[in-house]
Amino acid sequence: WYQGESNAGRAYQYRTLFPAMITDWRKAWGQGDFPFLFVQLANFMGRKTEPGDSGWAELREAQSMTLSLPKTGQAVIIDIGEEKDIHPKNKQDVGKRLSLAAQQIAYGKNPVYSGPVYESMAVEGNKIRLKFKHVGGGLVAKGGDTLKGFAIAGEDKKFVWAEAKIDGQTILVSSAQVEKPVAVRYAWADNPECNLYNSEGLPASPFRTDTWDGITKDKN
């Protein structure tokens, strides 16, 4: 399943719509919980200079939530989209990432089939520590030593760009502008600059630790 762009303005609806479609197809076809693999929305449109809300980020979140259904897999392509083309040309890497998911979900071959996926957070003084699933051989800042794409906020819900450092299998996020942090977002934009991967070369899925109302909540 490689769709969702036209739903980006109704992301909260998609939280129900997408899993309902999969469940209905499985029921109608009478084959049980057959494997269902899908592609997360690619990066697209202009890049923003400051952290903010994003309908495309909210739709990606809704797609990721659908992984709660059994035998589902998601290919993250936040790194191979194109600013001015809603249909990015690089389909080879899309296929490769789907094939990794298929090996695990359909055939049980247990490869590293996903990039890092946010699991939990803990506040440690003026920092937030993030834990991930699917770290593979380790967390990596692709293209250098500096992680990009992280933003942090306090109780005022105002996000600022953050400093993020890999610490073993976790990441510590902080900003001198936020003394008491409560939430972190990563790659939370239509077309984010982001570079968190695992050592197998698979990109981390965009995420947020907060559940604050988004811009598409009342548009469904």
Side-chain angles (χ1 to χ4, degrees):
W1 183 259
Y2 192 176
Q3 299 291 335
E5 292 83 355
S6 63
N7 301 87
R10 305 182 306 280
Y12 282 73
Q13 179 192 68
Y14 206 72
R15 294 182 179 189
T16 300
L17 193 66
F18 190 34
M21 184 195 76
I22 297 170
T23 300
D24 184 62
W25 283 5
R26 286 172 167 174
K27 180 180 178 181
W29 294 349
Q31 302 296 315
D33 291 335
F34 56 77
F36 192 101
L37 310 178
F38 53 93
V39 182
Q40 192 185 75
L41 290 188
N43 50 308
F44 177 57
M45 296 181 285
R47 181 163 289 172
K48 301 294 178 62
T49 58
E50 297 298 328
D53 291 317
S54 163
W56 277 55
E58 291 175 16
L59 197 283
R60 295 185 191 110
E61 178 183 56
Q63 291 175 308
S64 294
M65 288 178 171
T66 304
L67 293 171
S68 62
L69 291 182
K71 292 189 177 181
T72 53
Q74 175 177 247
V76 173
I77 60 167
I78 197 66
D79 56 337
I80 55 177
E82 299 178 35
E83 177 181 343
K84 297 181 180 180
D85 192 344
I86 200 169
H87 299 292
K89 297 178 177 63
N90 183 354
K91 297 298 191 291
Q92 288 84 2
D93 284 319
V94 178
K96 289 176 183 177
R97 293 171 188 179
L98 284 170
S99 72
L100 288 173
Q103 289 178 59
Q104 164 61 26
I105 295 161
Y107 302 107
K109 292 188 177 181
N110 296 310
V112 176
Y113 68 95
S114 170
V117 173
Y118 166 72
E119 184 173 29
S120 65
M121 63 159 275
V123 177
E124 298 181 1
N126 64 348
K127 297 179 173 65
I128 289 180
R129 185 181 297 275
L130 304 172
K131 293 185 178 180
F132 297 85
K133 299 179 289 186
H134 302 294
V135 297
L139 300 172
V140 174
K142 187 175 182 179
D145 298 325
T146 303
L147 285 172
K148 301 175 182 179
F150 286 86
I152 195 167
E155 292 181 352
D156 61 0
K157 302 182 181 180
K158 295 180 180 178
F159 282 90
V160 298
W161 294 125
E163 178 181 352
K165 293 184 178 181
I166 296 171
D167 184 28
Q169 303 281 43
T170 67
I171 292 177
L172 281 171
V173 186
S174 64
S175 169
Q177 300 179 59
V178 181
E179 183 178 348
K180 297 180 179 179
V182 300
V184 169
R185 292 179 176 180
Y186 171 72
W188 197 261
D190 301 336
N191 185 8
E193 182 179 14
C194 52
N195 66 340
L196 175 61
Y197 287 70
N198 57 26
S199 60
E200 285 77 9
L202 296 172
S205 182
F207 67 89
R208 60 174 172 168
T209 67
D210 64 275
T211 56
W212 300 331
D213 287 350
I215 59 174
T216 68
K217 186 173 180 61
D218 298 322
K219 297 179 180 180
N220 301 305

